[in-house]
Amino acid sequence: MFSYERRMANFSRNYMSIFFHIGQYILWMGRVFKRPEKRSIYRQRIFEEIQNVGYASIGLVALVSIFMGAVLTIQLAYNISSPLIPIYTVGLGVRDSLILEFSPTIISIILAGKVGSSIAGEIGTMRVTDQIDALDIMGVNSTGYLVGPKMIAAIICNPFIVIMSISLGIFGGYMAGVLTGEVSGTDYIYGIQYWFQPFYITYALIKTVVFAAIITTVPAYFGYHASGGALEVGKASTVSVVYSIVIILTFNLILTQMLLQ
Amino acid sequence: MIEVKGLNKSFGDHHVLKNIDAQFHKGQVNIIIGQSGSGKTVLTKCMVGLHDADSGTIEYDGRDFASMTFKEKKLVRQDIGMLFQAGALFDSMTVEDNIMFPLSMFTDQTQKERKERAQFCLDRVNLTNAGKLYPSELSGGMKKRVAIARAISVRPKYLFCDEPNSGLDPKTGLVIDELIKDITEEFDITTIVITHDMNSVIEIGENIQFIYKGEKWWEGSKEEILRTNNQEVVDFVYASKFMKKVRADLAK
Ligand SMILES: Nc1ncnc2c1ncn2[C@@H]1O[C@H](COP(=O)(O)OP(=O)(O)OP(=O)(O)O)[C@@H](O)[C@H]1O
Ligand SMILES: [Mg+2]
């Protein structure tokens, strides 16, 4: 149905549009870092956003983490059938999987869905109802005012959230091991202390901070550049979650390659 | 005074504004009229820099807006009050916080002074007790009035109003028109009002600019607009039966 030329034209347009978005995103982010008009208001906005971006996510993250730890424990215990592998390996395995991948990456992806869609919706609605124009007209740097505090709030909160997720995941694993009788409490606790690499925590926190910036600024970018009405805001919100996740996965790969040599 | 010269603006292939020249005077209510889609909102958005014009100049009291630095533009914008077609109040803030917002952003006033100023502006638009409400709790007309209160809270030198009385009953519309006229004269500001409402034109219009399909077609006073023979203006002004009757009476 599609001619070759048509397909090539579509391809190059989409290809260009990715570069267009990257360029526009970088220029736009430049405005986030401009000096704020008034520090006291900016500070107050950061506290508000800590409430929205961080505090409001704790319940969901706690729930997901406990179940994640529990399932990991049961799966690992099930897979270790050889008598040559000591059972405390389960504790170690759960700990490292949580620290390296589950807590920083999976939790960030979940937050990209939860926090990201709400940011894109909020900023997109402000755009289509002229509220962003109203800020600009007043002489406020709308990008800095709207996006900066969200990004800073997430960068402050998410490391705590991820540490909490790791702890609760390990706790969930303990409960699952003990309740199912697959792993004894002593073995599990021995395992989670065995051959602990403090650098893994650093690695996890670096990833978390980078992901925190992605899950706030990418949806904000899509919301900020929305146009039209409620329909377009909804679309921007969906698209922004997809982009955030893809970008998180890409950076996960890059950072892992860079940091775990 | 704001002076626009040779302004052009296109969106893609769509040439919206064609070589607009217009002057908006200080201490007067300057009115922009024209059919829906003729480019009135785009014209004002270009004037305040929300859209970049393709060519032409915009001068605020002799200072060319386009050639200003980012910082200078910000300073000019702090002298601009704007009333958007849909109000554009901040949903997340109470009415009072909406009005105090530009003050807390750009002045060093204390909380008490800001509150007093907000209350003064609310009184001015007859909404003395609405301070603690959220925009979602207001009617359309109340939103418009709050938006006016927010626009005047910073004592602007230039006030832009995009259809201040559309969607309002004639009486409230009149109250808002008079409010705009009073504020303009009281504080000697350059006010620009977009409207399709001939009542407001007759009521408060001093310097009227008629935009037709993106071109500046006609300008004059409210006395002149009733007597002009320009066909497009006549079609616009005397569109309704009521106005046709007015024209017949005038002819007598
Ligand atoms: N952001 C935009 N992108 C593309 N086209 C636009 C944009 N804004 C306005 N237009 C087009 O410019 C033309 C003029 O629009 P404008 O909003 O200025 O009309 P208006 O005179 O204010 O009409 P109304 O009285 O209905 O508000 C319309 O044809 C519209 O489609
Ligand atoms: Mg309009």
Side-chain angles (χ1 to χ4, degrees):
Chain A
M1 232 165 114
F2 282 106
S3 70
Y4 175 74
E5 286 78 9
R6 209 43 189 285
R7 246 183 6 230
M8 278 316 286
N10 270 337
F11 171 76
S12 66
R13 192 167 60 233
N14 294 337
Y15 197 63
M16 284 313 291
S17 89
I18 284 179
F19 285 114
F20 171 78
H21 278 304
I22 292 174
Q24 188 171 278
Y25 173 81
I26 290 170
L27 288 177
W28 177 80
M29 280 300 288
R31 282 189 271 152
V32 174
F33 294 108
K34 282 234 164 69
R35 212 167 65 87
E37 282 84 16
K38 204 147 200 195
R39 273 170 200 284
S40 56
I41 293 188
Y42 206 75
R43 216 176 300 127
Q44 189 191 329
R45 287 266 302 129
I46 292 176
F47 284 117
E48 283 169 22
E49 293 299 343
I50 285 179
Q51 181 80 20
N52 296 339
V53 171
Y55 189 70
S57 308
I58 288 179
L60 177 68
V61 171
L63 191 72
V64 171
S65 305
I66 291 174
F67 278 86
M68 227 157 51
V71 170
L72 271 175
T73 302
I74 296 171
Q75 286 178 345
L76 279 174
Y78 177 77
N79 278 298
I80 296 175
S81 46
S82 158
L84 289 177
I85 305 174
I87 194 69
Y88 67 73
T89 320
V90 172
L92 177 145
V94 170
R95 179 198 72 202
D96 283 354
S97 319
L98 283 169
I99 296 179
L100 290 175
E101 199 58 20
F102 281 89
S103 290
T105 312
I106 303 292
I107 293 296
S108 292
I109 286 178
I110 289 173
L111 291 181
K114 182 180 184 294
V115 176
S117 61
S118 96
I119 290 179
E122 178 192 336
I123 296 186
T125 305
M126 290 188 74
R127 164 58 75 198
V128 299
T129 55
D130 288 338
Q131 293 177 50
I132 293 184
D133 283 349
L135 284 172
D136 285 331
I137 284 295
M138 289 174 189
V140 177
N141 169 7
S142 56
T143 316
Y145 174 80
L146 292 173
V147 186
K150 287 188 198 298
M151 187 181 79
I152 292 172
I155 287 176
I156 294 172
C157 289
N158 287 17
F160 290 103
I161 289 181
V162 164
I163 296 284
M164 180 194 80
S165 160
I166 295 171
S167 319
L168 287 177
I170 289 174
F171 168 74
Y174 175 86
M175 293 304 288
V178 174
L179 291 179
T180 59
E182 296 278 355
V183 190
S184 77
T186 347
D187 277 336
Y188 188 84
I189 288 172
Y190 180 76
I192 59 173
Q193 293 168 328
Y194 186 78
W195 213 57
F196 175 67
Q197 308 263 46
F199 177 71
Y200 284 1
I201 297 280
T202 316
Y203 160 79
L205 292 183
I206 291 175
K207 288 211 299 191
T208 304
V209 166
V210 173
F211 297 163
I214 295 170
I215 56 185
T216 44
T217 59
V218 171
Y221 169 83
F222 280 97
Y224 194 91
H225 294 93
S227 63
L231 189 67
E232 284 80 3
V233 173
K235 270 188 201 145
S237 170
T238 314
V239 169
S240 73
V241 172
V242 175
Y243 268 78
S244 306
I245 292 174
V246 172
I247 296 170
I248 286 176
L249 293 174
T250 314
F251 271 84
N252 191 26
L253 197 66
I254 296 171
L255 288 173
T256 305
Q257 177 66 22
M258 271 166 54
L259 296 170
L260 293 188
Q261 287 284 351
Chain B
M1 183 172 107
I2 307 176
E3 194 165 6
V4 174
K5 285 183 208 150
L7 190 75
N8 280 288
K9 173 72 188 171
S10 306
F11 292 104
D13 299 334
H14 185 21
H15 199 168
V16 177
L17 296 179
K18 297 161 195 153
N19 215 17
I20 303 261
D21 291 305
Q23 288 175 355
F24 303 96
H25 305 292
K26 196 173 171 194
Q28 287 187 8
V29 179
N30 302 272
I31 292 210
I32 302 177
I33 54 172
Q35 282 172 16
S36 183
S38 55
K40 305 181 296 293
T41 299
V42 173
L43 172 61
T44 46
K45 286 193 172 178
C46 286
M47 288 170 66
V48 296
L50 288 174
H51 289 318
D52 289 322
D54 301 335
S55 63
T57 59
I58 296 140
E59 285 179 7
Y60 281 81
D61 292 319
R63 296 167 298 170
D64 179 26
F65 191 67
S67 63
M68 285 181 202
T69 63
F70 187 74
K71 237 186 184 153
E72 288 168 330
K73 274 187 189 160
K74 269 181 75 162
L75 285 177
V76 170
R77 282 177 166 183
Q78 288 168 29
D79 286 334
I80 296 178
M82 185 149 184
L83 172 66
F84 285 85
Q85 204 161 345
L89 298 175
F90 304 125
D91 304 319
S92 58
M93 300 178 194
T94 62
V95 164
E96 188 179 47
D97 287 339
N98 259 287
I99 300 173
M100 294 198 308
F101 180 81
L103 298 174
S104 23
M105 213 67 184
F106 298 109
T107 66
D108 290 320
Q109 294 176 359
T110 62
Q111 179 76 4
K112 186 164 167 287
E113 288 169 321
R114 292 200 295 260
K115 272 201 160 41
E116 279 169 13
R117 177 71 189 160
Q119 194 54 53
F120 172 83
C121 296
L122 277 176
D123 291 344
R124 203 72 188 71
V125 296
N126 291 327
L127 283 174
T128 305
N129 298 318
K132 292 284 174 265
L133 300 177
Y134 279 89
S136 58
E137 300 169 313
L138 304 177
S139 75
M142 289 162 89
K143 278 186 197 158
K144 285 249 156 88
R145 285 187 276 162
V146 173
I148 294 181
R150 183 177 69 183
I152 61 174
S153 69
V154 284
R155 301 182 169 87
K157 288 193 190 128
Y158 316 101
L159 180 64
F160 290 80
C161 303
D162 196 346
E163 301 192 9
N165 50 15
S166 66
L168 301 182
D169 62 276
K171 207 166 167 201
T172 313
L174 202 66
V175 170
I176 290 191
D177 283 343
E178 271 161 10
L179 176 67
I180 290 171
K181 189 168 173 67
D182 289 350
I183 293 165
T184 305
E185 283 166 5
E186 199 174 321
F187 304 109
D188 197 23
I189 47 192
T190 308
T191 299
I192 295 166
V193 173
I194 299 181
T195 187
H196 332 233
D197 182 9
M198 277 317 290
N199 285 331
S200 328
V201 176
I202 307 295
E203 207 61 52
I204 58 171
E206 289 169 274
N207 165 26
I208 300 161
Q209 312 276 336
F210 179 72
I211 309 286
Y212 181 73
K213 293 188 176 162
E215 284 178 61
K216 165 54 190 304
W217 202 259
W218 184 90
E219 72 177 50
S221 68
K222 65 182 168 193
E223 289 78 22
E224 287 165 339
I225 200 167
L226 291 175
R227 300 202 149 75
T228 177
N229 288 319
N230 188 307
Q231 195 52 48
E232 283 73 20
V233 181
V234 171
D235 287 347
F236 180 85
V237 173
Y238 296 104
S240 72
K241 279 195 184 122
F242 175 73
M243 287 305 287
K244 286 201 175 86
K245 188 168 178 310
V246 171
R247 185 165 171 79
D249 288 348
L250 270 177
K252 277 182 210 160

